[in-house]
Amino acid sequence: MLTPEEWAIVALSLRVSGVAMAVTLPVAFGLAYLLSRGRFPGRSLVDAVVHLPLVLPPVVTGWLLLLAFGRNGPVGGWLEAAFGVSVIFRWTGAAIAAGIMALPLMVRAIRLSIDAVDRRLEGAARTLGAGPWRTFATITLPLCLPGVLAGLVLGFARSIGEFGATITFVSNIPGETRTLPIAIYSALQIPGNDDAVWRLAGLSVALSLAALVVSEWLARRGQDDRAGHVL
Amino acid sequence: MSFDIALRRRLGARDIALTFKADDGLTVLFGPSGAGKTSVLNMVAGLLTPDAGHVRVGGATLFDAAARVDVAPERRRIGYVFQDGRLFPHLRVRANLLYGWRLAAEADRWIGLDEVVAFLGLGELLDRWPRSLSGGEAQRVAIGRALLSGARTLLMDEPLASLDASRRGEIIAVIERVRDDLKLPILYVTHDPAEAERLGTQLVAMG
């Protein structure tokens, strides 16, 4: 089975992706809601920027993160001055990279599920005495929840596999930023290390497959729910 | 006077305008498809904002463009029965029925769940999901849900339109009992002259 070091790599990867998802999910939901329901100038620009990490070479995304979060960067300089923290070469930086790379996938999945919510049901809730917030919490959110969860699982799988932006942004530091894919890459650099590569790669495949299955299952459940709208 | 309504609203290329007053009973808003009848109901319910005019229901001003009054739909106490029932698909029948009841102030609850269940014959349906209901069953639940929300007035938008001919009699009987037994003022939209003739105590022509 896995060696203690390999378990530590898995634990680090799960921590990086877990934190990335916890922070990215509310952001992704907010953006998805804005893009689904909002009518404001610059909407297509927001849409394009959100999708940028999906089409940019990951190394460019990593470099842009480096510029933004570096000591002299706009975000990094502020973090340093306000809190005395830096995310460069830290696992927190790896989480930021993982979150940014997962964001477009999550926004897409969540937005589709918000688009699919029948807005006339929200009108019905209003006539029954529910204010806008209660309508959101009791009608809109439960109806789009399967899509939100599917987006979360998809984003988690994407962030577990994140490589290019991470290695560019926070490098390859054992125990700090060497996540599963980076560990596989490192193991490949050492001749005669095939066993470790096989084990880590197998683990990667298993994690991704599980995430895809769960995501598909959630998406199907969402469709069943929506079929029930038609009376 | 139950309804005192004067509305104008531009929707795309259409101009919807209607002025009428009606007493208690069932007022039929009658006209061809596309005349804007549903838009009128939506404006009375507060789901669509008129460009001009006023909406007074049961003596209360719910909208008045000149006086800048626009009561939010959730505070109008108007029950709305939609053409397609529009039950919440993620809630069982019981939770659908109680959705508005739970939100209503204690003093506004003039009818309880047991009473509504008996009145509309919903006993067998309480634990069912909306998707498993027939059109007529869904429409009865929708009427019950509106009554339970503490509504003082009902709006009905072609509630028979999505039903088989054989089921219509059942819902017509229910609507007559809401009109005669509960004495709730109803504003009822239809394009069917027979329906208007049978149910209406007053007629407002549109379009």
Side-chain angles (χ1 to χ4, degrees), chain A residues 110-124:
Chain A
I110 297 171
R111 180 183 173 174
L112 281 177
S113 70
I114 296 173
D115 284 346
V117 171
D118 186 348
R119 298 201 66 177
R120 297 172 311 161
L121 291 171
E122 297 171 358

Side-chain angles (χ1 to χ4, degrees), chain A residues 120 126 134 138 229 231, chain B residues 74 84 86 89-90 99 103:
Chain A
R120 297 172 311 161
R126 296 293 300 277
R134 191 180 296 273
T138 59
H229 283 205
L231 290 171
Chain B
E74 62 268 24
D84 53 1
R86 221 168 284 186
H90 60 302
Y99 187 89
L103 296 169

